[in-house]
Amino acid sequence: MKIVKVGAIDSTNSYLRELMKQSYVKDATVVVAEKQHKGKGQGDNQWSSEEGKNLTFSVLIRFDELKVVHQFMLNYSISIAIYNVLRYYIPEKLSVKWPNDILSAGKKICGVLSECVLKSSNVNYAIVGIGLNVNQENFSDDLSNATSLKRILNRTIDRDELLEKLLLEIQYQIIGVRKHEFKKIKSQYESILYRNGVPSMFKNADDQEFLGRIIGTSLMGNLIVELEDESLKEFGLKEIKFI
Ligand code: BTN
């Protein structure tokens, strides 16, 4: 595993992608930045993170035979890896909000942005970007739902040690994806899924509110929700929001 540490760059995901244009980048290469000027979040969101306080890094993961239809298993396994490491720090109140926000007591502590590059019907490689709030204590008003390890634990966390644990666990979980252990990954993921089985209010893509209960996820990565009339409906990204 090669770790490239950089100071200030635009985004570790973009940096890794650029690196790949220039030369062959080995599987499990990691880029860690102290500061991102243009940290990318899910959708059109930005990821902001105070310089030198948190972990913002990207990992290159190459695949030989992961079908595009199973690419979500990568997201699931990354969430499981982060959850497994964080639970040693925060044993309680940790969950994964679909698709892969890591929450502590309902507040977001970590976000993941996976960018997959395809080769016909397979995933050729993925750049998995992880933003984990470690020692940041203050968040701007628009990030009122964010938290960090320091805010929860009241102590400063060694970022290098945490990164090492995360990278080891990610590599371990990826073995499962490479071995196509999809059912196991899916059931582990569902066991840590935020509000799984709990009646909750959601919004659909048309901003209409509705009551439903998450009952699981599909192998394709959709969220399966039981509606009030007991029918089941699958939602993809951008088709459903928690309220
Ligand atoms: C989210 O919106 O929840 C996803 C956030 C992902 C942020 C990380 S920080 C490291 C990597 N580089 C980026 O530009 N984004 C990801």
Side-chain angles (χ1 to χ4, degrees):
M1 176 165 266
K2 183 180 171 191
I3 303 183
V4 182
K5 288 196 173 179
V6 293
I9 50 168
D10 52 353
S11 145
T12 53
N13 274 32
S14 313
Y15 186 91
L16 199 44
R17 206 179 264 261
E18 281 306 310
L19 221 55
M20 295 182 76
K21 282 188 195 157
Q22 291 158 20
S23 59
Y24 182 82
V25 180
K26 274 183 151 173
D27 177 57
T29 297
V30 184
V31 174
V32 194
E34 284 296 296
K35 167 85 189 152
Q36 297 185 119
H37 297 300
K38 265 198 194 161
K40 294 194 278 183
Q42 291 284 347
D44 296 328
N45 295 334
Q46 285 213 341
W47 183 258
S48 45
S49 173
E50 210 176 307
E51 178 165 3
K53 292 280 174 81
N54 301 315
L55 282 175
T56 46
F57 64 101
S58 302
V59 190
L60 172 68
I61 303 171
R62 294 186 177 276
F63 291 98
D64 288 328
E65 34 181 310
L66 178 66
K67 292 274 170 242
V68 174
V69 288
H70 293 135
Q71 63 180 304
F72 236 82
M73 290 299 143
L74 168 67
N75 284 332
Y76 289 177
S77 68
I78 297 293
S79 299
I80 295 167
I82 299 168
Y83 177 95
N84 283 349
V85 172
L86 290 186
R87 73 176 170 177
Y88 286 107
Y89 292 83
I90 322 166
E92 286 167 32
K93 296 184 181 164
L94 205 57
S95 57
V96 178
K97 186 171 140 198
W98 181 85
N100 39 20
D101 286 352
I102 316 293
L103 307 184
S104 170
K107 291 195 167 232
K108 184 160 167 176
I109 189 166
C110 182
V112 182
L113 179 67
S114 301
E115 298 180 295
C116 288
V117 171
L118 314 178
K119 198 175 182 182
S120 66
S121 60
N122 286 330
V123 175
N124 186 10
Y125 62 84
I127 293 178
V128 177
I130 298 175
L132 172 59
N133 298 330
V134 186
N135 291 321
Q136 182 165 340
E137 287 173 278
N138 301 307
F139 294 91
S140 56
D141 290 346
D142 53 325
L143 293 177
S144 59
N145 201 39
T147 192
S148 68
L149 279 171
K150 186 159 187 179
R151 271 182 85 137
I152 299 161
L153 301 170
N154 250 317
R155 63 183 168 92
T156 302
I157 304 298
D158 183 325
R159 287 183 301 150
D160 287 334
E161 195 180 304
L162 176 56
L163 178 65
E164 195 180 315
K165 288 192 171 104
L166 285 164
L167 295 176
L168 274 176
E169 185 66 20
I170 288 171
Q171 280 193 307
Y172 176 72
Q173 293 299 331
I174 292 298
I175 296 172
V177 181
R178 292 202 168 112
K179 286 184 170 167
H180 293 187
E181 291 172 347
F182 300 147
K183 281 198 177 144
K184 184 175 153 196
I185 295 170
K186 189 170 108 63
S187 79
Q188 276 183 3
Y189 176 81
E190 287 173 355
S191 73
I192 57 176
L193 193 59
Y194 177 68
R195 292 194 162 260
N196 195 0
V198 182
S200 311
M201 286 304 289
F202 298 94
K203 259 187 192 173
N204 64 18
D206 300 322
D207 264 355
Q208 286 164 332
E209 297 187 2
F210 63 95
L211 180 66
R213 192 168 63 96
I214 296 173
I215 60 146
T217 54
S218 72
L219 284 175
M220 300 272 290
N222 289 335
L223 192 66
I224 307 171
V225 178
E226 183 185 56
L227 304 178
E228 269 187 295
D229 63 3
E230 293 184 2
S231 66
L232 300 186
K233 193 165 161 57
E234 278 195 28
F235 294 88
L237 282 174
K238 295 186 183 162
E239 290 174 353
I240 186 167
K241 268 191 284 191
F242 288 87
I243 302 181

